[in-house]
């Protein structure tokens, strides 16, 4: 049985004023329910965002309450400073390196693991929980584990002996950012596995049965049924991973001694913290923040186009 | 309806923000005369907290109408960040006993500090207490926005047991010249006595030069500040010798390029550390400590070091400034300074330190070396943009000295030129 949804609006339009009153009542109740969230969005996101954009076009400095200081309009001056600062360019390059490693690794590993955990295997619940543990553990604690493994005197270097990299993993300008990317992949994996697991529940079993009857093996089923079946989840995972990557702060801060060596693991958000909070340049930090938002939007849109290609 | 709700919420949020921003500061003239209860902030160092509470109790016993409440500085990565955030929010205590001089220009720019020179006896009290050492703490406008309170002159602390384990004489270590220091370091590491000879943090934080470069530069240059007369001083023969010395330590793996996630001296991972006298109390139960001055190229004696000084400051949010000023003088009086020295081992910023507390230094000979050093200390320059300047220096230091990605001469030259630009920028903010 099918329902012609197109007919419904016409029916409403011709049914007189009573339903409209009912609609308005529903609208009030709905508004009441969403108002805490709207308030939250306005206070926590919208106002700071508008204020940030305003700051980015002014020479601005945080001062004690009741103090009057001029915040003159400086046009694109802060943006010019951002685009001419070589450390900013390095920070965005670092993020690109991060995304190139982290996003494919996250998508690939979490989909494969979710597919495995979706099968009827012994100890499935244990594995589902085990992959989720790093995600819910504080970064500071996980960083300690990572330092135990990859510190210059760490477990991995003991195993590698003379083959260990010099300088070591976390202070090597070529390896620091890839190490952070792998660390974040490991930390976040449980969350993305859960997303894929939820999505896998919606892939029809009949598709697997039909493909099996057509002679498809497990691998062929994975690429021909599972991957297309979870494409919306893949879009979500990719965009979420990009946003996570763009917001990197605690990992480079804690794992590589504040963005070292020589800024090779500095992220834009870490730089915003250093410029805005440590060095007292909120105007520069605000402009950098706006640029970062634009960067995330562009990369996310490109990724969405890529993942939804063929739909 | 929804649109109206959204507009209403937006207006509410904006009004809330505006109200928060519009909180008024006390009138300076009224506050300067006002007496009443105040709050003071102490650092989170256990010995300082112990002294602070005793000091406050002593004050409260004699001043019932002017009650003082002591609290530890709110948590933050550094106390400077916590104070800065509090200035912006208008929630600072009246006094803080742990202000870094490097942060004072920032606090001043935020209009967060009260000029102590504005109190009728302000200038006299500060200069008489600190003598010739106080000049470094004046702000560019000539006033004191901080009371130079205590110094922690940076010296080389070493673990006597590790020196003995490496076959070195723990009572007479060869650490005076760069050549001897490097030779001793090689012996310590190659003998397996310690993983590192010395382990200052190689991280990119702006304040790390105070524990590797700056003490050595103060010693090698005979007491020069990073910037003097508006010009960087480190792209010089003294600066080059210091940078080359540290570069050798890193290149020969005597100092690790990776930050130690703890206290390397306390954990026996490093045989030496550049620290102040606070560390003597901290290590007394775990490490058999020896103390020597920071090395120089030729081992000259009577050299300078970095002060690692902390000041006491009064904040513009304080409503009872007359009480706050009296508490500040009480807390830095001869009697309280003696109690502070007893409790913490840190050096009150006094010209007559060793003679005033001769008994203490006789009973505690380890601290005598620090007291002697405290008479020859170099402070961070009190210039606008101080933190930017140190960050620019640190970036080049990390690149050239710690990781050897460019020559030390290039690193210092680049840092000098970047800092010159910053000085010009801050000098002419238009």
């Amino acid at each position: 049985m099918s329902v012609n949804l197109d007919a419904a609006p016409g029916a409403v339009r011709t049914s007189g004023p009573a339903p409209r009153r009912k609609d308005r009542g529903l609208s009030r109740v709905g508004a009441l329910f969403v108002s805490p969230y709207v308030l939250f969005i306005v206070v926590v996101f919208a106002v700071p965002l508008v204020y940030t954009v305003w700051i980015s076009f002014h020479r601005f400095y945080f001062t004690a309450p009741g103090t009057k200081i001029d915040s003159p309009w400086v046009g694109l001056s802060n943006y010019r400073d951002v685009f001419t600062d070589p450390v900013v360019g390095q920070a965005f390059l670092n993020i690109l390196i991060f995304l190139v490693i982290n996003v494919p690794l996250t998508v690939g590993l979490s989909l494969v693991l979710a597919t495995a955990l979706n099968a009827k295997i012994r100890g499935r619940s244990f594995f589902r929980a085990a992959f989720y543990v790093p995600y819910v553990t504080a970064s500071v604690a996980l960083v300690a584990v990572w330092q135990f493994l990859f510190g210059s005197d760490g477990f991995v270097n003991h195993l590698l002996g003379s083959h260990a990299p010099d300088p070591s993993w976390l202070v090597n300008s070529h390896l620091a950012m890839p190490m952070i990317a792998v660390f974040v992949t490991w930390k976040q994996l449980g969350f993305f596995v859960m997303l894929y697991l939820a999505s896998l529940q919606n892939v029809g079993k009949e598709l697997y049965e039909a493909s099996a009857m057509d002679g498809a093996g497990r691998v062929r089923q994975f690429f021909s049924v599972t991957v297309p079946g979870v494409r919306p989840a893949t879009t979500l995972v990719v965009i979420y991973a990009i946003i996570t990557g763009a917001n990197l702060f605690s990992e480079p801060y804690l794992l590589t001694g504040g963005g070292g060596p020589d800024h090779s693991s500095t992220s834009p958000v870490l730089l915003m913290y250093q410029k805005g909070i440590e060095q007292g340049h909120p105007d520069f930090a605000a402009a950098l923040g706006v640029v970062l938002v634009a960067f995330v939007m562009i990369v996310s849109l490109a990724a969405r186009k890529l993942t939804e290609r063929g739909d | 309806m929804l649109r109206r709700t959204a507009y209403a919420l937006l207006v509410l949020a904006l009004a809330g923000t505006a109200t928060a921003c519009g909180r008024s500061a006390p009138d300076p003239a009224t506050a300067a005369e006002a007496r009443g209860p105040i709050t003071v902030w102490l650092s989170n160092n256990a010995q300082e907290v112990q002294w602070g509470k005793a000091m406050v109790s002593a004050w409260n016993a004699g001043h019932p109408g002017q009650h003082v409440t002591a609290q530890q500085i709110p948590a933050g990565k550094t106390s400077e960040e916590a104070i800065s955030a509090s200035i912006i929010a208008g929630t600072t205590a009246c006094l803080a006993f742990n202000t870094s001089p490097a942060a004072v220009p920032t606090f001043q720019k935020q209009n967060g500090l009260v000029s102590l020179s504005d109190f009728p006896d302000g200038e006299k009290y500060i200069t008489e207490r600190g003598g010739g050492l106080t000049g470094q703490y004046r702000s560019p406008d000539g006033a004191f926005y901080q009371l130079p309170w205590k110094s922690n002159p940076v010296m080389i602390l070493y673990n006597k047991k590790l020196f003995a384990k490496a076959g070195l004489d723990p009572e007479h270590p060869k650490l005076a010249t760069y050549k001897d220091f490097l030779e001793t370091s090689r012996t310590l590491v190659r003998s397996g006595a310690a993983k590192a000879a010395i382990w200052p943090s190689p991280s990119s934080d702006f304040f790390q030069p105070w524990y590797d470069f700056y003490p050595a530069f103060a010693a090698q240059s005979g007491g020069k500040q990073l910037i003097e007369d508006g010009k960087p001083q480190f792209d010089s023969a003294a600066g080059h010798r210091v940078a080359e010395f540290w570069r050798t330590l890193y290149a020969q793996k005597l100092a690790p390029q990776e930050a130690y996630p703890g206290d390397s001296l306390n954990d026996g991972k490093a045989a030496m550390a550049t620290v102040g006298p606070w560390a003597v109390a901290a290590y007394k139960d775990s490490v058999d400590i020896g103390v020597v001055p920071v090395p120089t190229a030729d081992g000259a004696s009577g050299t300078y070091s970095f002060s690692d000084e902390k000041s006491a400051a009064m904040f513009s949010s304080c409503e009872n400034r007359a009480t706050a000023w009296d508490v500040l003088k009480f807390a830095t009086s001869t009697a309280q300074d003696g109690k502070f020295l007893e409790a913490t081992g840190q050096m009150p910023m006094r010209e007559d330190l060793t003679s005033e507390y001769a008994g203490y230094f006789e009973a505690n000979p380890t601290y005598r070396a620090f007291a002697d050093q405290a008479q020859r200390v170099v402070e961070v320059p009190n210039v606008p943009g101080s933190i930017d300047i140190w960050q620019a220096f640190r970036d080049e230091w990390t690149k050239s000295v710690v990781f050897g990605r460019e020559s030390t001469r290039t690193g210092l030259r680049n840092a000098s030129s970047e800092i010159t630009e910053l000085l010009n920028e801050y000098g002419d903010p238009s």
Side-chain angles (χ1 to χ4, degrees), chain A residues 208-286:
Chain A
Y208 289 101
E209 288 163 6
S211 61
M213 286 177 71
D214 286 345
R218 288 274 170 91
V219 175
R220 184 61 192 261
Q221 279 184 336
F222 178 78
F223 284 106
S224 299
V225 179
T226 307
V227 171
V230 297
R231 188 167 285 159
T234 301
T235 304
L236 182 65
V237 168
V238 167
I239 290 174
Y240 194 84
I242 289 168
I243 293 169
T244 305
N247 281 315
L248 261 190
F249 175 81
S250 50
E251 288 80 8
Y253 182 68
L254 295 170
L255 209 54
T256 58
D262 190 21
H263 292 298
S264 61
S265 64
T266 297
S267 66
V269 177
L270 180 58
L271 201 56
M272 282 167 67
Y273 163 76
Q274 287 173 337
K275 291 282 186 183
I277 306 295
E278 283 190 342
Q279 296 170 27
H281 299 300
D283 41 10
F284 181 99

Side-chain angles (χ1 to χ4, degrees), chain A residues 64 67 152 253 273 278 281, chain B residues 77 81 110-111 258 388 426:
Chain A
T67 305
S152 58
Y253 182 68
Y273 163 76
E278 283 190 342
H281 299 300
Chain B
K77 183 196 160 202
E81 277 174 30
Q110 290 175 328
N111 291 313
E258 195 167 16
D388 280 23
Y426 278 98

Side-chain angles (χ1 to χ4, degrees), chain A residues 277, chain B residues 79-89 92 106-107 110:
Chain A
I277 306 295
Chain B
S79 50
E80 287 69 42
E81 277 174 30
I83 292 172
S84 181
S86 300
I87 287 173
I88 296 160
T92 36
T106 305
F107 296 164
Q110 290 175 328

Side-chain angles (χ1 to χ4, degrees), chain B residues 156-158 163 175 181 185 188 196-199 265 270-274:
Chain B
I156 304 287
L157 263 66
Y158 64 94
F163 270 61
L175 295 168
F181 194 101
S185 297
L188 283 162
I198 191 164
W199 203 333
L265 185 66
M272 295 181 277
T274 46

Side-chain angles (χ1 to χ4, degrees), chain A residues 107-255:
Chain A
V107 171
L109 282 175
S110 52
L111 182 52
V112 168
L113 285 170
T115 307
L117 292 174
N118 199 38
K120 286 184 179 129
I121 55 166
R122 191 188 290 267
R124 189 168 66 167
S125 299
F126 167 77
F127 285 115
R128 283 181 179 182
F131 283 115
Y132 204 66
V133 167
Y135 180 69
V136 292
T137 306
S139 283
V140 176
L142 296 179
V143 161
V145 174
W146 215 249
Q147 279 172 336
F148 165 76
L149 290 172
F150 292 100
S152 58
D153 204 21
F155 181 70
V156 173
N157 280 1
H158 274 299
L159 288 180
L160 292 174
S162 60
H163 299 294
D166 183 22
S168 191
W169 305 92
L170 301 172
V171 288
N172 187 307
S173 56
H174 302 295
L175 296 175
M177 205 62 209
M179 288 304 294
I180 289 171
V182 174
F183 172 84
V184 174
T185 305
W186 170 67
K187 179 172 163 36
Q188 303 277 349
L189 206 56
F191 174 72
F192 294 117
V193 167
M194 288 294 165
L195 280 182
Y196 270 127
L197 268 173
S199 183
L200 283 169
Q201 313 297 317
N202 294 325
V203 181
K205 287 199 170 35
E206 67 277 7
L207 293 173
Y208 289 101
E209 288 163 6
S211 61
M213 286 177 71
D214 286 345
R218 288 274 170 91
V219 175
R220 184 61 192 261
Q221 279 184 336
F222 178 78
F223 284 106
S224 299
V225 179
T226 307
V227 171
V230 297
R231 188 167 285 159
T234 301
T235 304
L236 182 65
V237 168
V238 167
I239 290 174
Y240 194 84
I242 289 168
I243 293 169
T244 305
N247 281 315
L248 261 190
F249 175 81
S250 50
E251 288 80 8
Y253 182 68
L254 295 170
L255 209 54

